[in-house]
Amino acid sequence: MGGAFLAAAVLARLGSRIGLPTIPLFILAGILLGPHTPGIVLVSDPHDMEMLSALGLVLLLFYLGLEFHLDDLKAGGRRMALAGGTYLALNVGAGLGFGFALGWGTSEALVLAGVLGISSSAIVTKVLVDTGRLGSPEAKPILGIIVVEDVFLALYLAALQPVLSGADSLGAAVLDGGKAFGFLLLLALVARFGTRVVGRLFAVEDDELLVISFLGAAVFVAGVSEWFGVADAIGAFMVGLMLGSTASGERIRKLVHPLRDAFGAMFFFAFGLSIDPGDLPVVVWPVLAAVAVTLGMNVLAGVGAARVYGFGARGASVISSTLLARGEFALILATMAAGAGLDARLSPFIAGYVLVLAVLGPVVAGWVPGLFAPAAPTRSHPLGAAPPDPRLSR
């Protein structure tokens, strides 16, 4: 574990000198020091890092929830749903069509619809933090699309599980979906109406007790969410959403920073451990074709979201490039597909596709918006929407 932290730190420091983002470097450290490449092997079994990786994902999404205020949801719910729905329709639809075009099978096409359709919440969050865009006007639609994706993800997994497991009952699928939706609704109600009570529970002066309290709450709710068929990430996000609006919210944001950065690095390192470069040549052409499809759909979705929020070309480029990366959800689908005995080419395809976009996404996100004048003003919404929330300037 110590070697993993040090390797990630050394590569990230070297990369920062030439302007490379940290995410692909953390992934590269995992590939080079994992069991699938020659040389030094720090971690022979990727599952040894599984709990650290899960904690990294939980903390990344918990921090995202802290930054995403309830007022943003109340004020921009319609636009958020429209932008997120457009993004999913374009990308999931293209992924399903691409899956059928490959001819690997119907179940495989359903898996590929999710792989190509949903962004990596962890990478998107890290890109927003690294590029200093959490306070930008474009952060609202980006975070809104992530929220819509996570809700869709919970329902999609619930519907896909019985298909892959060969369940012969539609009732089982409906029951799983209803259980997931019910738990999401409960979390949303607590976030909407229980903020005052939650704030009292976390109103402690001692930093040590506050860290233990919010960390326990985030991890516990993430675990319960997974039990109900909801992604652990969205459970952590909802806890962050609740706590961000309390009197302790600003202190929690400061205290969670080092935890988020340390365990977030381990998430991407563990991601690299799971990739076997030797499997990639077999699926190189389908991977490149899928990347091209995703690039095209992301541009269209970015333009659509920018119009919904009244942004110009620079806003569209920020949205589309930031949401480009694919990651943890695709790997979950790869594991499910392997367990269901689907086409053997599916797992290496997903690994190669995710690797390319996990590296390309942060690089493009840092480079593309610079093509436009940095000072280019963001147009106001044509329907007269309110100006950006001044709290986002922090």
Side-chain angles (χ1 to χ4, degrees):
M1 231 171 77
F5 275 111
L6 288 174
V10 169
L11 272 180
R13 290 182 70 175
L14 291 175
S16 66
R17 295 185 178 182
I18 56 176
L20 288 178
T22 58
I23 293 170
L25 296 169
F26 292 151
I27 296 172
L28 178 61
I31 294 174
L32 295 178
L33 299 173
H36 304 300
T37 51
I40 299 173
V41 177
L42 280 180
V43 184
S44 57
D45 185 357
H47 291 291
D48 291 343
M49 302 287 289
E50 194 168 6
M51 185 57 71
L52 283 179
S53 173
L55 187 55
L57 179 60
V58 163
L59 288 170
L60 282 166
L61 270 293
F62 173 71
Y63 181 80
L64 183 64
L66 289 171
E67 291 289 341
F68 198 93
H69 289 273
L70 283 171
D71 291 341
D72 299 330
L73 286 174
K74 297 173 192 173
R78 184 184 66 83
R79 289 190 294 169
M80 183 179 75
L82 183 57
T86 300
Y87 188 90
L88 285 172
L90 288 170
N91 284 275
V92 174
L96 184 63
F98 180 81
F100 281 121
L102 285 179
W104 291 354
T106 301
S107 295
E108 287 79 0
L110 291 172
V111 170
L112 288 173
V115 170
L116 271 67
I118 298 180
S119 309
S120 166
S121 298
I123 296 179
V124 170
T125 304
K126 190 70 165 60
V127 167
L128 286 172
V129 172
D130 288 350
T131 57
R133 291 183 189 144
L134 270 177
S136 69
E138 294 85 4
K140 279 190 176 182
I142 291 170
L143 298 183
I145 289 171
I146 288 178
V147 171
V148 173
E149 282 186 326
D150 282 340
V151 173
F152 172 81
L153 162 61
L155 301 176
Y156 179 78
L157 279 178
L160 187 63
Q161 183 63 48
V163 174
L164 296 185
S165 62
D168 54 357
S169 171
L170 179 63
V174 172
L175 179 63
D176 288 341
K179 186 171 69 171
F181 181 77
F183 185 70
L184 281 173
L185 182 61
L186 175 63
L187 289 178
L189 290 173
V190 174
R192 174 66 179 86
F193 299 107
T195 305
R196 184 172 298 178
V197 175
V198 172
R200 290 175 183 170
L201 293 174
F202 287 85
V204 293
E205 295 183 2
D206 186 81
D207 284 350
E208 179 185 12
L209 293 179
L210 184 57
V211 169
I212 294 170
S213 299
F214 74 67
L215 185 60
V219 176
F220 180 77
V221 174
V224 174
S225 298
E226 199 169 56
W227 187 69
F228 274 96
V230 177
D232 52 3
I234 195 171
F237 173 86
M238 294 301 291
V239 175
L241 190 65
M242 297 172 202
L243 294 181
S245 300
T246 65
S248 302
E250 191 60 38
R251 284 175 61 208
I252 293 174
R253 268 186 287 273
K254 293 178 181 178
L255 291 169
V256 79
H257 271 200
L259 293 169
R260 179 206 69 193
D261 292 341
F263 290 101
M266 287 303 96
F267 170 80
F268 297 111
F269 181 87
F271 177 63
L273 291 174
S274 66
I275 295 174
D276 184 354
D279 291 338
L280 303 183
V282 182
V283 290
V284 62
W285 292 115
V287 165
L288 293 177
V291 169
V293 169
T294 303
L295 285 168
M297 291 300 102
N298 257 56
V299 170
L300 291 177
V303 170
R307 288 186 176 179
V308 169
Y309 281 83
F311 297 157
R314 185 175 187 276
S317 73
V318 170
I319 295 170
S320 59
S321 60
T322 305
L323 291 167
L324 180 60
R326 302 295 187 263
E328 64 279 358
F329 176 54
L331 296 180
I332 292 171
L333 284 175
T335 303
M336 291 174 61
L342 300 187
D343 195 297
R345 293 168 291 184
L346 200 55
S347 290
F349 167 85
I350 294 173
Y353 171 76
V354 169
L355 177 61
V356 171
L357 287 182
V359 173
L360 185 64
V363 174
V364 171
W367 173 67
V368 168
L371 297 176
F372 301 87
T378 304
R379 294 188 295 109
S380 60
H381 194 272
L383 297 180
D389 191 335
R391 291 172 302 174
L392 290 176
S393 63
R394 73 174 164 267

